[in-house]
Amino acid sequence: MASLFEIGKTGVQAYRQALSVTGQNIANINTEGYNKRSADITEIAGVSGGATNVSDSSGLGVRVANIRRSFDSYLSDKTRTSQSDYEMLNDFVSKLSDLENMLLPSGSDLGVFIGRFFDSLQDVASSPDSISARTVSLEAGRALSSSFNNYDKQLKDFKSSSIKEVDVKLTEANLYLNQLVKVNGLISGSGSKEASNDILDARDQLLKDLSKLLNFTVDYESTGEVNIRLGDSGNGVHILQRSKAAILSSSSTENNLSIIVNNAGVKSTGIFSSGIISGLSQFYSLVDSVSSEISDLAQQMTDQINNIQTSGIDLNGNIGKSMFSVNSMSPKANSDNKSFLEFNSIESNPSKISQEQVLVNYSQINNNWEVRDSKGVSYAYGNQIQFEGYKIEIIGQPQDGDGFVISPLQTKAGSMKFNLNNPEDFAAASKNLISKNP
């Protein structure tokens, strides 16, 4: 039977250890990643009876059975999900504000340049013989096309910046995954059922940091090791399986920025919906959509203004020529050509040129060029190929199978040009003279 003093001694020791745990919690209140601990105090059972002794059920005091770490997988998952959503929206709104400031600068947005140009055309219409009015309109037209070019360049810069930023964030994500592999190794190699609390804290802090970049689900092993799947469905592609981490990289097209997950050489597209990387991807798609709308506006303005311009007569008595052009079609020889070919592109009517990819190949047997575009297949002969609105002049002697690709180098907004060089080129007079019938 334990003495009263011995029982009291175990109580003092146990609660002194519990107070130390409380002190540790207070000391680490601002330590990032630290989880509160609590001491589990249990009874020290009495001595059971035997052949030579009598059982003692009064007990021998208390002891600290375990230093328990405060952790709930459900709450941790909800915290990470909320953080991923916040980081995505915060980054997206920040980028959206930058885009808005670019599109609508005070006093110099695209609408202002369009307004100035049409105001100057109104002055030319009111005084068609005024060279000064025509000169002002000439400069306003150049400023308008330059404004479209500048908008396109800035939008391209936004997309390029988004790609670079995603690559930086993916490098950071790969670092976290590799660190989690090491933590999983420490947990599995601890030799006990439960890993030490500081290792588990490090694990959860890495998961929290990773959730800022992208959203994922976590499967916990009984030992504390983690497996991670991308996205919030629970069935996404694995980006971490115990001791194996995937390599994340980016892939971009004109309108989409996606994440490629490489698991030991097996590549797949990662599907996820929140985190900074998701925000950047959504912003990239939005910028491309804005760029397309501005290019559509450039095309519509070009077509409508050119239709009016070419239906009139300029100050020299000539039929008006196209005022604007959005053509950037340029030929490029195939890299596997057997001969050396050069090209001249000659415009005749820029407003009729379709901005699309055209494939051209030479057949020596038929001595002709096979032309493939959105309309189908056609054939051309000689060293000049005629297209709607332009023609390509081929310099050199092609061999069988040689060819080239004609494609737009820029968007319509980026390639917009003002074609008039002189004030007299504005076709402000009608082709038809209307007079009273005597």
Side-chain angles (χ1 to χ4, degrees), residues 91-252:
D91 189 80
F92 183 77
V93 169
S94 175
K95 295 287 190 298
L96 199 61
S97 177
D98 294 339
L99 179 62
E100 182 181 19
N101 292 335
M102 187 278 289
L103 292 173
L104 300 172
S106 178
S108 59
D109 59 85
L110 190 57
V112 171
F113 285 99
I114 293 174
R116 289 173 183 171
F117 177 66
F118 280 109
D119 288 343
S120 70
L121 288 181
Q122 184 63 45
D123 292 339
V124 173
S126 300
S127 304
D129 58 343
S130 172
I131 295 297
S132 62
R134 287 169 172 267
T135 301
V136 171
S137 191
L138 196 71
E139 294 303 319
R142 290 170 180 167
L144 177 58
S145 63
S146 177
S147 179
F148 271 102
N149 299 158
N150 185 53
Y151 266 60
D152 183 73
K153 180 182 181 302
Q154 292 187 72
L155 290 171
K156 285 181 178 177
D157 289 342
F158 271 123
K159 293 175 72 174
S160 175
S161 176
S162 295
I163 292 173
K164 291 178 181 178
E165 195 168 346
V166 164
D167 287 339
V168 170
K169 294 302 180 183
L170 286 175
T171 299
E172 190 176 339
N174 286 325
L175 179 62
Y176 289 145
L177 290 173
N178 289 328
Q179 289 177 335
L180 281 166
V181 167
K182 293 179 181 179
V183 169
N184 276 348
L186 291 173
I187 293 174
S188 64
S190 63
S192 60
K193 186 177 180 180
E194 294 185 0
S196 64
N197 288 327
D198 56 339
I199 293 177
L200 297 177
D201 280 349
R203 178 201 67 187
D204 292 342
Q205 182 60 39
L206 287 170
L207 291 173
K208 181 180 178 182
D209 291 338
L210 184 61
S211 70
K212 295 177 182 179
L213 305 178
L214 40 81
N215 64 321
F216 52 84
T217 57
V218 179
D219 295 324
Y220 294 93
E221 300 286 347
S222 59
T223 56
E225 296 171 88
V226 291
N227 300 305
I228 304 176
R229 289 179 179 270
L230 194 59
D232 56 8
S233 67
N235 297 314
V237 61
H238 272 109
I239 58 174
L240 177 68
Q241 291 179 284
R242 287 195 171 183
S243 61
K244 296 178 181 178
I247 299 174
L248 308 181
S249 59
S250 67
S251 175
S252 61

